[in-house]
Amino acid sequence: MSGSQPKSRVEALLEQMTLDEKLGQLTMSAEAAAVTGPVAAGGIAEDIRRGAVGSLLNLYGASQVRERQRLAVEHSRLRIPLLIGLDIIHGYRTLFPVGLAEACLFDPQLWEQTAREAAREAAHDGVAMTFAPMLDVARDPRWGRSVEGPGEDPLVAMRLAQAKVRGFQGNDLAAADTLAAVAKHYCAYGAVTAGREYASADVSERSVLEVHLPAFAAAVAAGVTAVMPAFIDLGGVPLTAHQQMLRGWLRGRLGFDGVIISDYNSIGELLQHGVASDLTEAAALALRAGVDIDMMSNAYRRGLPAALERGLVDMPLIDAAVRRVLRLKEQLGLFDDPYRRGASTEAPAARLQRRSLARRVAARAIVLLTHRDEVLPLSARTRCLAVLGPLADAAGEMRGSWWAAADEQECVSVLAGLRAALPAARLLHAPGVPIEGPDDAGFDAALEACDSAEAIILCIGEAALMSGEAASRARLDLPGEQRRFAQAVLEHAASLRKPVIAVLFCGRPLVVPWLMEGADAVLAAWFLGSEAGNAIADVLLGRVSPSGRTAVTWARDVGQVPIFYAQRQGGRPPDPDNPDNHYCSRYIDVPIQPQFPFGHGLSYGRFVLSDLHISPAVLQQTDSLEVQVTLSNQGARAAEETVFLFIHDRVASVARPVLELKEWTRVELAAGDSRRVVLRVPAGALSFPGADMCPVFEPGEVEILVGPCADRARLLAGRVRLI
Ligand code: GLC
């Protein structure tokens, strides 16, 4: 910096800061508005006054935030404003569907819009940062955090990343309605061994490169302000101390120069990982790896002074971290006006519009998994319904596992949604059994309710907290006595010749083949947020045709997981149609096919694809591939279809997955309508990491496959030749 230029605010502050004040800016302490980790902080007010803490999490409410901000800005020596963060994963006070459910929309515009709305709502309450988007690609539904993420596909994860960063951060990060986004959990957290929470991930470099990194690269390209390393170790090196992944890849190769925030207490937990013998070593490992903010372990404040003395770190390393934190606060406008977020309240109309968006998005997140005999949609003249199951009148459960500031009183249950949609109908409600536990005293009342009903709505599944953090499950069946209850209802309804529509609430695909067989329709309703009940009623009554497509492969048996469509076929590929082929990839006790493939989802239309055309026939790397297909709705109702474009590079220098998603589009068609659908893919998207992990665009034939899901039998196929 030349002598003539005035020092920047950040440099001027750095020069004045004591070591304790610098370490304070590298420390994030948890308040108690939410509990999201194993240790709690105390003495926060005094720490703020002393400049010993620079950020807070789990605090919201305009007045509460203002009170803490005032301590920093008016009572600390250097008056550096606080950064206030919260987990706004799928909404703040108005909840949208959980991450995995939103992924089923395959709609980047809506993904961005819900993040924009969540940012507006939270920033009006004083929050300036969200620990989202959660970008962990997951292919093992035993892992509880599958519910928060983008599903199994890296392209979906990339587009979610872009949309969410844009939505949260808006066009002006200093504006009063924006949040700093934090891409998390970097990376491969979704690959934990056996789906067990916090377990190690041992995945190949190729898998890291092709599956787990792309979403973070997309987030960085979209301008994400911060990244959070995962709790876990990747191949024995905890991500919190992973020099190669943080300094090498994230900052080096991806050029990320924002803030790296540790996960909750994860620097301190380097001792449990067995890579540090004390907090000093742990703090040095994390700082050297590039972690700037220590969330809730106190390792930086307690360990870095000794690390300096022992020569494990130096002051320039500390200054670089402090500089990034102060720069982020500057970007957020916190120095210009620390009270900007939370200074004004929202107009009531804004909250109403947000609720109607939540309802629209929730309806589109519903995946109609099975549907026979046209039992849906129900008639608006329905006079009597049995609304059964432990999730029928469970407004609080609709929130999912990260509900931020949402009040369960403001959530709509299935029962309430149906009551509002069918004011003249009799709704006979009986939970039958609790979500979990042995109590089956409610069976009889529930079965009795079927007798006078025209149809049965059976609301079953998991509690919200049976997925999310620290909620892996070894079994993927219905908890408690629900299976026995549901089978009793199915049997009784069959004797009455009445349809059963099952609404399945879950944070991951549940293994319930008997329900898929026995019910007349099954909807995956995940956890849909504040407007769950209204959205489910909209779909059940045909106001909205279901258009959700599952963003994860749905296992038929827990023994199949991890299960996903983009697998390499190996030297003895599966041969499920040829039972005489002994030496092929299979199980001897369970079919190899999933219950439902990635992208599966029915609608109230009936779609047919025809006339595939691919151009050009010969593709150079600078070209763009154009694929056309005719989509017809031969059903009796308007509906929306998602058309996926996959490729399969049959012969390449590295064995390639049997299907790779490269594009998709959504098309709404009236009954009887047809449309020529065009999908375009830049030829460069057909390159892949070669044997040396560097991108290659290899000459040769590539299959192009277009259709409604990752089931090759349902795809139209053609070829293109790369030169
Ligand atoms: C939790 C989660 C992380 C969250 C953080 C703060 O343990 O792992 O996703 O953002 O702590 O609540």
Side-chain angles (χ1 to χ4, degrees):
M1 183 177 309
S2 70
S4 59
Q5 282 179 358
K7 278 190 181 41
S8 72
R9 172 195 281 138
V10 166
E11 295 308 324
L13 274 173
L14 257 177
E15 279 184 2
Q16 302 170 60
M17 292 170 88
T18 65
L19 175 60
D20 284 351
E21 287 165 333
K22 289 179 181 177
L23 301 184
Q25 290 303 310
L26 305 186
T27 298
M28 179 179 270
S29 291
E31 296 270 18
V35 177
T36 62
V39 291
I44 288 180
E46 188 43 38
D47 280 349
I48 296 171
R49 283 196 191 88
R50 289 189 300 115
V53 63
S55 317
L56 299 176
L57 76 145
N58 297 344
L59 172 72
Y60 54 81
S63 57
Q64 293 85 334
V65 168
R66 199 168 25 252
E67 185 266 325
R68 288 304 200 206
Q69 198 64 277
R70 201 176 301 285
L71 283 180
V73 171
E74 298 176 22
H75 298 280
S76 76
R77 186 175 77 89
L78 293 173
R79 303 172 179 279
I80 299 172
L82 293 167
L83 173 62
I84 310 287
L86 184 70
D87 293 282
I88 300 158
I89 313 298
H90 52 96
Y92 175 67
R93 198 174 297 283
T94 305
L95 291 180
F96 301 101
V98 292
L100 184 56
E102 244 205 358
C104 296
L105 271 76
F106 287 89
D107 190 331
Q109 189 274 327
L110 282 180
W111 291 340
E112 180 173 343
Q113 201 175 344
T114 58
R116 184 86 295 278
E117 284 305 313
R120 280 202 180 99
E121 197 171 50
H124 273 97
D125 245 9
V127 181
M129 168 179 271
T130 175
F131 306 119
M134 191 274 205
L135 301 173
D136 303 320
V137 171
R139 298 165 162 187
D140 187 331
R142 293 172 294 183
W143 187 50
R145 303 198 78 164
S146 307
V147 69
E148 302 172 41
E152 73 180 62
D153 183 83
L155 181 64
V156 174
M158 288 170 72
R159 292 190 177 165
L160 254 167
Q162 290 157 347
K164 291 300 177 186
V165 169
R166 281 196 300 255
F168 286 131
Q169 297 188 167
N171 300 320
D172 173 8
L173 208 47
D177 66 350
T178 59
L179 299 177
V182 180
K184 73 181 187 183
H185 305 82
Y186 182 82
C187 79
Y189 188 5
V192 285
T193 304
R196 181 166 46 82
E197 181 61 294
Y198 309 130
S200 299
D202 279 299
V203 286
S204 67
E205 185 184 359
R206 179 169 300 283
S207 179
V208 171
L209 208 51
E210 292 204 58
V211 176
H212 301 288
L213 265 180
F216 291 92
V220 170
V224 73
T225 58
V227 170
M228 180 186 288
F231 282 120
I232 61 165
D233 75 270
L234 178 60
V237 182
L239 271 305
T240 304
H242 206 303
Q243 293 240 11
Q244 188 200 343
M245 287 303 292
L246 296 179
R247 284 207 187 278
W249 252 101
L250 185 59
R251 294 204 187 280
R253 294 282 291 272
L254 298 182
F256 176 67
D257 64 356
V259 170
I260 297 178
I261 299 180
S262 81
D263 204 336
Y264 202 112
N265 193 35
S266 67
I267 297 178
E269 288 166 8
L270 292 175
L271 279 73
Q272 281 77 3
H273 275 284
V275 297
S277 59
D278 59 25
L279 271 185
T280 300
E281 282 181 13
L285 283 172
L287 189 75
R288 287 204 307 259
V291 175
D292 299 312
I293 291 182
D294 167 13
M295 180 192 284
M296 273 310 291
S297 87
N298 238 344
Y300 276 9
R301 279 193 317 197
R302 290 168 49 190
L304 284 182
L308 273 170
E309 282 163 21
R310 286 163 49 181
L312 300 176
V313 297
D314 60 24
M315 191 57 82
L317 214 48
I318 291 174
D319 288 351
V322 176
R323 197 170 280 120
R324 284 189 286 265
V325 174
L326 294 178
R327 205 169 53 207
L328 174 56
K329 292 185 176 182
E330 202 164 47
Q331 280 178 295
L332 285 165
L334 290 171
F335 283 105
D336 299 333
D337 179 356
Y339 305 112
R340 180 175 297 158
R341 289 177 179 80
S344 62
T345 53
E346 279 196 302
R351 293 205 64 202
L352 284 176
Q353 284 164 2
R354 193 170 294 125
R355 291 287 303 212
S356 67
L357 174 67
R359 180 167 179 164
R360 187 156 68 90
V361 171
R364 294 163 69 92
I366 293 168
V367 181
L368 182 57
L369 295 170
T370 71
H371 182 208
R372 63 181 178 218
D373 306 335
E374 303 296 307
V375 293
L376 289 174
L378 299 173
S379 161
R381 291 186 301 283
T382 297
R383 294 183 315 280
C384 181
L385 279 178
V387 186
L388 309 181
L391 284 135
D393 188 17
E397 300 299 341
M398 303 296 108
R399 295 181 297 176
S401 61
W402 288 100
W403 58 72
D407 179 345
E408 73 173 90
Q409 308 303 325
E410 297 179 344
C411 292
V412 181
S413 69
V414 178
L415 188 61
L418 285 170
R419 276 210 182 99
L422 294 167
R426 281 175 63 211
L427 301 182
L428 307 173
H429 169 238
V433 289
I435 292 173
E436 55 185 333
D439 176 5
D440 61 2
F443 265 48
D444 295 347
L447 297 180
E448 200 178 310
C450 300
D451 297 346
S452 41
E454 295 162 56
I456 293 106
I457 312 297
L458 180 59
C459 302
I460 48 179
E462 296 178 319
L465 292 180
M466 291 178 178
S467 59
E469 185 176 355
S472 289
R473 292 183 67 201
R475 296 194 185 92
L476 297 177
D477 53 10
L478 286 175
E481 289 300 313
Q482 291 188 62
R483 173 169 180 170
R484 196 160 62 83
F485 171 66
Q487 285 176 317
V489 169
L490 290 171
E491 194 178 322
H492 186 52
S495 70
L496 301 170
R497 304 176 66 77
K498 293 182 179 177
V500 176
I501 293 106
V503 186
L504 198 54
F505 295 90
C506 51
R508 75 265 279 172
L510 294 182
V511 171
V512 285
W514 51 271
L515 182 71
M516 306 303 177
E517 288 304 311
D520 297 279
V522 181
L523 293 84
W526 314 106
F527 296 103
L528 294 170
S530 303
E531 287 288 322
N534 289 329
I536 291 165
D538 288 344
V539 167
L540 291 178
L541 292 162
R543 294 174 186 157
V544 174
S545 168
S547 62
R549 299 290 181 271
T550 174
V552 282
T553 301
W554 199 289
R556 181 188 301 274
D557 187 296
V558 69
Q560 293 179 317
V561 301
I563 185 169
F564 51 98
Y565 78 85
Q567 307 217 28
R568 297 185 290 272
Q569 70 180 10
R572 296 184 178 184
D575 188 6
D577 299 332
N578 178 0
D580 301 329
N581 183 351
H582 182 75
Y583 296 102
C584 68
S585 179
R586 66 193 177 109
Y587 303 103
I588 60 171
D589 54 353
V590 170
I592 196 166
Q593 301 93 325
Q595 183 81 47
F596 303 111
F598 169 89
H600 171 77
L602 304 176
S603 71
Y604 293 153
R606 189 162 56 78
F607 289 101
V608 175
L609 278 173
S610 59
D611 304 328
L612 175 68
H613 180 261
I614 298 164
S615 65
V618 178
L619 202 66
Q620 300 186 60
Q621 190 161 2
T622 50
D623 291 338
S624 178
L625 181 71
E626 181 178 281
V627 178
Q628 294 191 23
V629 68
T630 296
L631 179 69
S632 308
N633 177 1
Q634 297 178 358
R637 290 174 175 274
E640 194 166 331
E641 179 65 308
T642 301
V643 179
F644 296 98
L645 187 156
F646 299 96
I647 69 164
H648 180 206
D649 192 342
R650 283 187 177 280
V651 180
S653 58
V654 175
R656 302 301 299 154
V658 292
L659 287 175
E660 291 178 78
L661 182 63
K662 292 298 176 186
E663 189 49 277
W664 73 80
T665 187
R666 303 188 61 109
V667 183
E668 184 152 6
L669 285 181
D673 265 6
S674 290
R675 185 174 308 167
R676 196 72 178 145
V677 177
V678 181
L679 298 115
R680 291 185 181 83
V681 178
L686 275 58
S687 55
F688 59 89
D692 60 359
M693 298 299 162
C694 295
V696 288
F697 182 83
E698 282 187 351
E701 271 205 350
V702 172
E703 250 192 314
I704 306 297
L705 303 108
V706 175
C709 63
D711 175 355
R712 185 178 274 271
R714 298 181 58 194
L715 299 176
L716 297 182
R719 292 177 187 288
V720 66
R721 192 156 59 82
L722 309 189
I723 59 172

